Amino acid sequence: MSAIVANDFSLLANLDSKSCTDLSNTAVEFITNGYKLTKDMLAPYNTTIQGGENAITALAKLFSESAKRDHNGTLFLRQLSPFPSLSEETRIAIGKVYEQNKLAIFEATPNRPSSLRQYKDMDWRLDVEVAKRTADSVAIPNYSVRIDTVGGEGGETGAIEFTADAAQMRNLRDKLVEVLKEHEDKHAQRFVKYLN
């Protein structure tokens, strides 16, 4: 988790277990409501907790990430260990809400692993068109690419096939390099470390 999320969790330190349970249930409602906060959701926390919106979204992030990874109650409680300001009673209250709503959280979480296809393999072929009826000496390179995937709702395999010219392939390469640079960024590495 990032430092901002850690600060959001420190707001929970002053709450009793019932208030934490209520706030956790509101975070679940936030997730199942399509990640939209309403004034009704925030109303109870405007007077009892400063930054109620931040605490709700922080809990929602934690719930969603844990549900995507199929964490049980014990693994979920480990996710709370980097936050020493939370009492054991508070951790257990939040954990109970997670356990009771895990399936609903998982189903409402966007980009959950079961609905996304996973990369498996890639094949490519370079075709060169060397002549046309209208021009005698034309060499036009064209790439045929097939990306094999696995997963989805039923765990089936599939493929994405497309053709591209050299400029489009360079653009694809540049986008993939961008993704790898983002992954290797120190901020991204810290974020991944906190999530695991």
Side-chain angles (χ1 to χ4, degrees):
M1 295 275 156
S2 67
I4 295 170
V5 175
N7 290 338
D8 295 339
F9 278 117
S10 68
L11 297 171
L12 301 173
N14 300 327
L15 298 179
D16 60 14
S17 63
K18 184 190 179 325
S19 297
C20 278
T21 300
D22 292 343
L23 191 70
S24 298
N25 283 320
T26 302
V28 171
E29 184 182 353
F30 169 67
I31 294 168
T32 57
N33 195 32
Y35 291 84
K36 294 177 188 146
L37 279 174
T38 64
K39 289 182 181 179
D40 293 337
M41 288 181 195
L42 290 172
Y45 309 108
N46 287 339
T47 56
T48 60
I49 182 171
Q50 183 184 14
E53 182 177 346
N54 293 342
I56 290 168
T57 55
L59 277 171
K61 285 179 194 176
L62 183 66
F63 286 162
S64 296
E65 290 300 320
S66 296
K68 278 196 277 188
R69 289 186 167 89
D70 197 25
H71 286 167
N72 62 20
T74 305
L75 288 173
F76 176 78
L77 289 175
R78 280 192 205 153
Q79 294 292 315
L80 295 174
S81 61
F83 308 108
S85 61
L86 297 179
S87 69
E88 190 63 27
E89 184 182 353
T90 300
R91 293 171 203 262
I92 290 170
I94 295 170
K96 283 181 182 176
V97 172
Y98 169 76
E99 276 292 310
Q100 292 167 351
N101 296 285
K102 182 178 161 185
L103 183 60
I105 294 166
F106 180 77
E107 289 174 349
T109 299
N111 299 329
R112 59 188 195 266
S114 66
S115 64
L116 286 179
R117 305 195 60 77
Q118 299 282 323
Y119 169 84
K120 183 178 177 185
D121 195 14
M122 185 178 114
D123 291 320
W124 62 276
R125 181 181 75 223
L126 173 63
D127 296 325
V128 179
E129 186 177 328
V130 291
K132 289 184 177 181
R133 287 186 181 177
T134 59
D136 287 337
S137 60
V138 175
I140 302 172
N142 199 17
Y143 295 89
S144 296
V145 180
R146 176 188 166 115
I147 299 175
D148 295 321
T149 60
V150 65
E153 292 295 332
E156 69 276 357
T157 59
I160 300 167
E161 296 181 19
F162 62 93
T163 59
D165 61 22
Q168 291 168 326
M169 290 300 286
R170 278 192 292 276
N171 184 31
L172 177 62
R173 180 201 59 204
D174 293 344
K175 296 288 184 191
L176 291 172
V177 167
E178 258 181 61
V179 168
L180 289 173
K181 281 183 183 176
E182 193 67 32
H183 173 72
E184 294 166 357
D185 180 61
K186 288 181 182 178
H187 178 69
Q189 292 296 322
R190 278 185 293 213
F191 186 73
V192 169
K193 178 182 170 189
Y194 282 116
L195 288 177
N196 291 328

